[in-house]
Amino acid sequence: MAYWLFKSEPSTWSWDDQKKKGARGEPWNGVRNYQANNNMKAMKKGDLGFFYHSVDEKRIVGIVRVIGEHRPDPTDETGRFGLVDIEAVCDMPAPVTLADVKGEPRLAEMALLKQSRLSVQPVRAGEWKRICAMGGLKKAP
């Protein structure tokens, strides 16, 4: 299994919006960055990801699961970019802020800090476990 982080502006698509979609999930569309698109191409059904509220909040608020692998994004008129489908798994009991991540030396190499503008990024297994613990999840999904 691989782990990921999905960034979204809560005024555009929030964690509450994602949760309302239930088990049918939602396409993660609108990505127009080649590296983020390549990250989505690498995703497999069952992979997990952090749902990150960007802009003002800057915090991990939930966990999602990939339920549909990469396919063309119908909102992309160029035909170059794709999407995956994700569903909400659970809330992060205590949201983990960007400041929390920056303050944890074991997360110093995390893509969230090294490639801060990338909207879909990989998360290493150790980073996943550490952030889940920081967020109050007794057992990482």
Side-chain angles (χ1 to χ4, degrees), residues 92-132:
M92 185 64 72
V96 178
T97 67
L98 179 59
D100 294 335
V101 173
K102 286 180 177 179
E104 172 52 74
R106 290 175 277 186
L107 300 175
E109 297 302 314
M110 192 170 178
L112 182 61
L113 304 179
K114 297 291 187 178
Q115 297 174 298
S116 62
R117 296 187 52 87
L118 190 60
S119 64
V120 179
Q121 50 191 248
V123 175
R124 291 183 284 247
E127 296 166 344
W128 179 266
K129 289 177 186 171
R130 183 69 198 126
I131 288 174
C132 286

Side-chain angles (χ1 to χ4, degrees), residues 53-128:
H53 275 174
S54 61
V55 187
D56 294 332
E57 292 185 27
K58 296 180 183 169
R59 61 188 186 154
I60 296 167
V61 294
I63 293 179
V64 296
R65 178 181 298 111
V66 176
I67 59 171
E69 294 182 8
H70 193 268
R71 67 181 199 284
D73 182 343
T75 70
D76 174 26
E77 295 177 5
T78 70
R80 290 185 218 144
F81 297 97
L83 58 79
V84 295
D85 296 297
I86 61 171
E87 68 174 344
V89 173
C90 66
D91 293 326
M92 185 64 72
V96 178
T97 67
L98 179 59
D100 294 335
V101 173
K102 286 180 177 179
E104 172 52 74
R106 290 175 277 186
L107 300 175
E109 297 302 314
M110 192 170 178
L112 182 61
L113 304 179
K114 297 291 187 178
Q115 297 174 298
S116 62
R117 296 187 52 87
L118 190 60
S119 64
V120 179
Q121 50 191 248
V123 175
R124 291 183 284 247
E127 296 166 344
W128 179 266

Side-chain angles (χ1 to χ4, degrees), residues 8-75:
S8 183
E9 294 180 24
S11 62
T12 303
W13 186 256
S14 71
W15 176 237
D16 285 338
D17 294 327
Q18 185 66 49
K19 290 192 302 185
K20 287 176 188 170
K21 291 296 180 171
R24 74 176 186 266
E26 181 72 5
W28 197 260
N29 61 16
V31 173
R32 300 296 183 265
N33 173 285
Y34 287 102
Q35 188 174 359
N37 188 59
N38 285 338
N39 288 336
M40 291 193 303
K41 283 180 180 178
M43 293 177 185
K44 301 293 181 209
K45 282 185 182 179
D47 284 356
L48 296 173
F50 291 126
F51 193 102
Y52 181 89
H53 275 174
S54 61
V55 187
D56 294 332
E57 292 185 27
K58 296 180 183 169
R59 61 188 186 154
I60 296 167
V61 294
I63 293 179
V64 296
R65 178 181 298 111
V66 176
I67 59 171
E69 294 182 8
H70 193 268
R71 67 181 199 284
D73 182 343
T75 70

